[in-house]
Amino acid sequence: MNAINTVFCSINPMTNLIIEEHNLDNRELVRCKIEQAQSAFQLWKQYSYEKRANFFVEAAKILREQAAVYGKQITLEMGKPIHQAIAEVEKCAWVCEYYATHTEGFLKDQVIPTEYGKSYISYQPLGTVLQIMPWNFPFWQVFRFAAPALMAGNVTLLKHAPNVLGSTNFIQEVFDKAGFPKGVFQHLTIDVDLIEKVIEAPSVQGIALTGSVGAGAAVGTLAGKNIKNCVLELGGSDAFIVLKDADLEKAATVGVQSRMHNSGQTCISAKRFIVEECVAEEFKALVKEKINNLVVGDPMDSNTNISVMARRDLAENLQRQVDQSIEMGAVVEVAGGHQKGSNYFYPMLLSNIQKGMPAYEEELFGPVGAIFTVKNAVEAIELANDSIFGLAATVWSEDEALALSVAQELEVGAVAINKLMSSDPRIPFGGIKKSGIGRELGREGVLSFVNLKALVVG
């Protein structure tokens, strides 16, 4: 949508009918919200951790009480299967409670042993932080940033994806009903043309973006130009390594769950199955069976595993990537693809993936898995690392020492061994290479937007 439009539309991806129209904020309203955020910061930063925590405990309570309502909104706007949408909202309550409990300890003054009378690090909030968030996890992406940033004493302005603004309004409702002071959390309904103006504002001291590599490069450039701190969580093409001694049944079950969650529209999921050749055929057969058993249908049906993609253009682009890969020699192991005239994309599995194919070089952001065969663990590591992305990976082996040694060689931000890879409030989240810079979640997520002030007393 370009800058001359005055509204954004929430569109139901199942019916392609408009759910609601949302008026864009004009420049004057944006300026007022930025000023209000700065005024709120002067108050909010003075609050004790306990006082801030009380607001987040209340927010968690509201999220749990309204999980079904908010989950339905997520499903209506971007097509996530309803049971996954409700679970997303409930996970937001967890992250609120986690940081309400732990932030004070995370930001306790750190004593540095020196010969001076005193020397220590004090952690202080920066001010207003702009968060630019995507549509695929419309509640979780916001809360996983907002909880640590606000608990640290910052305030935030949210620029959300234009197709999930109904969810955005509900998120604002959570903060309002929980009693947060006015201006501590605000959302901006703006197009991309105003993002630069917001970043340029002197009171905006940081930017957090989750999105594409292109969006990350653009925002990173603006952050550098304006000397602003930024955290970028971008794409991923996560390797799912299966070694010869792995529990193949469990690995296949978790692998398909990971790849197909949220109809495949997840940055941190098993996009590349890399399997030792002596078990490759058995593992592939298990994966094919489990993909074929998935229920594709209405996202409001609690039995549905896979539903529509969030937008038609996303399904069409994924089909282009698949078609080009097939033309270049990729083999279809499980047939599926975009159902023309709808937003459905039926699950697929590809093999014989070679360098130069979109399925090798690019992120497949949808329900398409790619399976590779390697001779040994050394080849698995080489193939896993041969990617522009470095978000996460998974290793499956009954030999824990071997799995850990493989994990240490992988060029990624996180590795799960014999379990589903997922974000967790307790564990830092983020990647390297073109998967981004900085970290969210864990203690590191709090430290991303605080001033580490060194104090020395003679």
Side-chain angles (χ1 to χ4, degrees):
M1 185 171 292
N2 58 47
I4 64 170
N5 290 321
T6 59
V7 297
F8 283 133
C9 295
S10 296
I11 299 174
N12 185 329
M14 269 290 291
T15 64
N16 285 305
L17 298 176
I18 294 175
I19 303 169
E20 187 177 3
E21 293 185 343
H22 306 274
N23 293 324
L24 272 67
D25 296 345
N26 59 36
R27 288 174 181 261
E28 177 59 22
L29 182 55
V30 171
R31 184 188 65 80
C32 289
K33 288 184 177 182
I34 293 172
E35 290 181 355
Q36 187 174 64
Q38 179 62 10
S39 296
F41 173 62
Q42 301 308 316
L43 171 68
W44 184 248
K45 69 179 182 179
Q46 302 298 331
Y47 282 16
S48 67
Y49 289 111
E50 181 181 6
K51 192 170 183 178
R52 291 180 206 145
N54 289 337
F55 292 112
F56 275 103
V57 169
E58 184 62 23
K61 179 182 176 183
I62 294 166
L63 285 162
R64 287 200 173 92
E65 289 175 346
Q66 298 298 316
V69 174
Y70 297 157
K72 181 179 179 180
Q73 183 67 30
I74 292 171
T75 298
L76 285 172
E77 286 192 305
M78 55 75 59
K80 189 191 302 287
I82 186 64
H83 61 282
Q84 295 178 18
I86 292 171
E88 176 182 337
V89 177
E90 291 171 341
K91 189 175 182 179
C92 294
W94 178 24
V95 81
C96 288
E97 291 171 339
Y98 179 77
Y99 283 104
T101 302
H102 295 285
T103 302
E104 183 173 8
F106 288 156
L107 299 183
K108 183 179 179 180
D109 289 349
Q110 180 184 345
V111 176
I112 304 173
T114 66
E115 72 275 19
Y116 307 122
K118 290 181 181 178
S119 48
Y120 61 98
I121 298 171
S122 176
Y123 302 94
Q124 297 178 337
L126 295 178
T128 302
V129 183
L130 171 66
Q131 55 176 139
I132 304 170
M133 293 295 144
W135 48 263
N136 59 331
F137 289 88
F139 268 67
W140 172 243
Q141 300 281 7
V142 173
F143 278 93
R144 84 177 188 193
F145 165 80
L150 297 186
M151 272 301 302
N154 298 295
V155 299
T156 190
L157 296 167
L158 167 65
K159 191 281 178 196
H160 217 328
N163 59 323
V164 291
L165 291 177
S167 295
T168 308
N169 289 335
F170 275 134
I171 293 169
Q172 184 72 63
E173 175 184 283
V174 173
F175 284 94
D176 292 344
K177 286 186 173 181
F180 283 78
K182 191 173 179 61
V184 169
F185 179 94
Q186 300 176 87
H187 71 269
L188 304 173
T189 308
I190 59 173
D191 209 341
V192 293
D193 63 313
L194 285 184
I195 290 176
E196 183 171 3
K197 296 298 181 184
V198 177
I199 293 174
E200 289 174 350
S203 62
V204 174
Q205 291 296 305
I207 309 101
L209 174 137
T210 298
S212 67
V213 173
V219 168
T221 298
L222 291 172
K225 175 183 174 182
N226 291 280
I227 321 297
K228 304 288 177 75
N229 189 26
C230 73
V231 170
L232 306 175
E233 195 271 284
L234 310 177
S237 188
D238 292 3
F240 188 96
I241 297 173
V242 181
L243 301 180
K244 59 187 177 183
D245 64 341
D247 181 333
L248 297 184
E249 173 67 29
K250 185 176 179 182
T253 298
V254 173
V256 172
Q257 177 189 357
S258 175
R259 175 68 290 234
M260 300 301 168
H261 183 75
N262 200 24
S263 300
Q265 299 165 118
T266 307
C267 59
I268 186 169
S269 68
K271 296 192 175 78
R272 295 181 294 150
F273 298 112
I274 300 174
V275 191
E276 280 200 83
E277 60 183 4
C278 57
V279 294
E281 287 303 313
E282 183 180 355
F283 178 77
K284 182 169 68 175
L286 287 167
V287 169
K288 290 170 68 172
E289 176 188 356
K290 294 179 189 305
I291 291 176
N292 286 324
N293 286 336
L294 293 171
V295 177
V296 181
D298 186 341
M300 288 296 182
D301 187 334
S302 61
N303 295 313
T304 293
N305 305 121
I306 299 277
S307 189
V308 289
M309 293 184 68
R311 300 196 313 263
R312 182 77 53 85
D313 63 299
L314 298 168
E316 291 172 345
N317 183 63
L318 181 60
Q319 187 65 58
R320 176 194 60 78
Q321 293 173 299
V322 168
D323 289 344
Q324 290 180 1
S325 298
I326 293 170
E327 289 170 5
M328 297 172 73
V331 173
V332 177
E333 298 287 348
V334 176
H338 181 216
Q339 184 185 69
K340 292 185 178 179
S342 77
N343 288 14
Y344 275 108
F345 195 107
Y346 288 84
M348 297 189 72
L349 180 68
L350 303 177
S351 66
N352 195 40
I353 310 298
Q354 306 296 326
K355 286 181 71 69
M357 296 180 182
Y360 191 104
E361 308 292 346
E362 302 172 10
E363 179 180 24
L364 301 181
F365 205 69
V368 180
I371 191 163
F372 302 78
T373 300
V374 293
K375 292 180 180 179
N376 50 44
V378 173
E379 282 194 5
I381 294 166
E382 291 174 352
L383 179 56
N385 289 340
D386 189 22
S387 172
I388 64 171
F389 298 107
L391 187 55
T394 311
V395 180
W396 288 81
S397 170
E398 293 296 285
D399 184 338
E400 185 175 308
L402 173 61
L404 284 168
S405 69
V406 170
Q408 290 287 4
E409 297 300 318
L410 298 175
E411 298 167 354
V412 295
V415 182
I417 295 174
N418 296 332
K419 70 175 295 295
L420 177 72
M421 169 58 71
S422 62
S423 57
D424 183 314
R426 300 163 295 184
I427 299 171
F429 180 88
I432 59 174
K433 299 196 277 189
K434 290 191 182 296
S435 286
I437 55 175
R439 292 294 182 270
E440 295 180 312
L441 301 177
R443 180 172 185 258
E444 290 72 14
V446 180
L447 297 181
S448 293
F449 291 104
V450 294
N451 175 24
L452 281 64
K453 180 181 287 185
L455 294 103
V456 180
V457 180

